[in-house]
Amino acid sequence: YFFHKHEPYYSAIGASGAVTGILYAAILLEPNMSLYIFFIPIPIPAYIFGIGYILYTLYGIGAQNDNIGHSAHFGGAIGGVILTLFYDFEVINNSKLMLSILCVTTLIAGFLLYIKRI
């Protein structure tokens, strides 16, 4: 909502933002797990997938050349990180590197989005 509040005809349908939130919560809880992408039978470490996905999301927000709600994915990632910290405060001790990477990336991206640089 924050990024599209001045666009009265913008609409978003689906649950992909919530799914992204669950994905980022899982990455924080188990940063060493492996994830697979359809048609690519190679395991990808979760923390690399998380970084790559947030970069892709930022590119999608800036490019706006498709009908995908990239800003919902960005918001879902933020929500997943915040709610995971709220419900399991030990994540700060157990996943310091992943939490740092996600928070720094998210803060920088949010700032760039706020000043319309992306």
Side-chain angles (χ1 to χ4, degrees), residues 25-50:
I27 291 171
L28 274 180
L29 294 170
E30 291 292 331
N32 294 322
M33 72 176 166
S34 295
L35 298 172
Y36 292 85
I37 299 175
F38 284 124
F39 309 114
I40 302 175
I42 301 169
I44 301 169
Y47 63 93
I48 292 175
F49 181 87

Side-chain angles (χ1 to χ4, degrees), residues 36-108:
Y36 292 85
I37 299 175
F38 284 124
F39 309 114
I40 302 175
I42 301 169
I44 301 169
Y47 63 93
I48 292 175
F49 181 87
I51 294 166
Y53 191 77
I54 206 74
L55 292 174
Y56 167 70
T57 298
L58 294 174
Y59 166 76
I61 291 171
Q64 295 181 353
N65 58 3
D66 54 17
N67 255 350
I68 298 173
H70 295 286
S71 56
H73 300 161
F74 184 71
I78 292 171
V81 170
I82 290 171
L83 287 174
T84 302
L85 291 174
F86 181 74
Y87 285 108
D88 188 6
F89 200 71
E90 287 297 314
V91 168
I92 292 174
N93 294 328
N94 299 335
S95 301
K96 289 179 185 175
L97 177 63
M98 189 64 217
L99 183 61
S100 300
I101 291 169
L102 287 176
C103 287
V104 167
T105 305
T106 304
L107 288 173
I108 291 171

